[in-house]
Amino acid sequence: MNFSRRETLGLGLGAMALTILPVGASAATVDELIAEFTGGADMADTGVTLTAPEIAENGNTVPISVEAPGASAIMVLAAGNPTPPVGTFNFGPLAGSRSASTRIRLAQTQDVIAIAKLEDGTFARTSAEIKVTIGGCGG
């Protein structure tokens, strides 16, 4: 199959446009993500516990754990990462413990935010600053 110069240029510009469009469309700020999760509701400062080290020697693997008694879901965000959402943990009515532990990757020193949706429909929020000394995703 032979393409003319115009067809080749058109295909190239179309391919470039497809690679650029999803980047702008998927970018969401931390505030937008929180508003989407909470629906704009007020949040209490107590009710969720985030356990994380003050200083992480290696940003590639930082252990964290979150706990919120009576939570139906907990969302964790890393505010300084290129992609802030870390994960959302959902709990059913028969869950014995409303807690989760994982290891996350941090690009730099930043706040890690945990928001819990409690079974009564209210929300609770906490955050912790984690200082990253080396490594991380992107520098």
Side-chain angles (χ1 to χ4, degrees):
M1 179 180 233
N2 292 330
F3 290 109
S4 70
R5 222 180 301 177
R6 279 193 188 147
E7 292 170 333
T8 304
L9 182 61
L11 287 173
L13 290 174
M16 189 168 47
L18 285 176
T19 60
I20 292 172
L21 287 177
V23 173
S26 66
T29 66
V30 172
D31 292 333
E32 290 171 348
L33 293 167
I34 292 171
E36 182 182 332
F37 184 71
T38 63
D42 290 334
M43 292 177 279
D45 292 333
T46 60
V48 60
T49 305
L50 174 65
T51 306
E54 283 186 39
I55 298 174
E57 294 182 13
N58 184 357
N60 287 322
T61 175
V62 180
I64 65 162
S65 64
V66 291
E67 180 180 9
S72 60
I74 301 174
M75 180 175 71
V76 180
L77 301 168
N81 275 0
T83 306
V86 171
T88 301
F89 305 96
N90 295 301
F91 305 101
L94 298 178
S97 168
R98 309 297 170 97
S99 64
S101 298
T102 188
R103 293 184 181 272
I104 63 174
R105 189 172 190 185
L106 298 178
Q108 59 194 359
T109 297
Q110 61 188 283
D111 287 331
V112 174
I113 303 164
I115 300 170
K117 178 180 182 182
L118 303 176
E119 289 176 334
D120 63 1
T122 61
F123 293 89
R125 172 188 175 141
T126 190
S127 64
E129 182 183 35
I130 301 175
K131 295 178 176 89
V132 178
T133 56
I134 62 170
C137 56

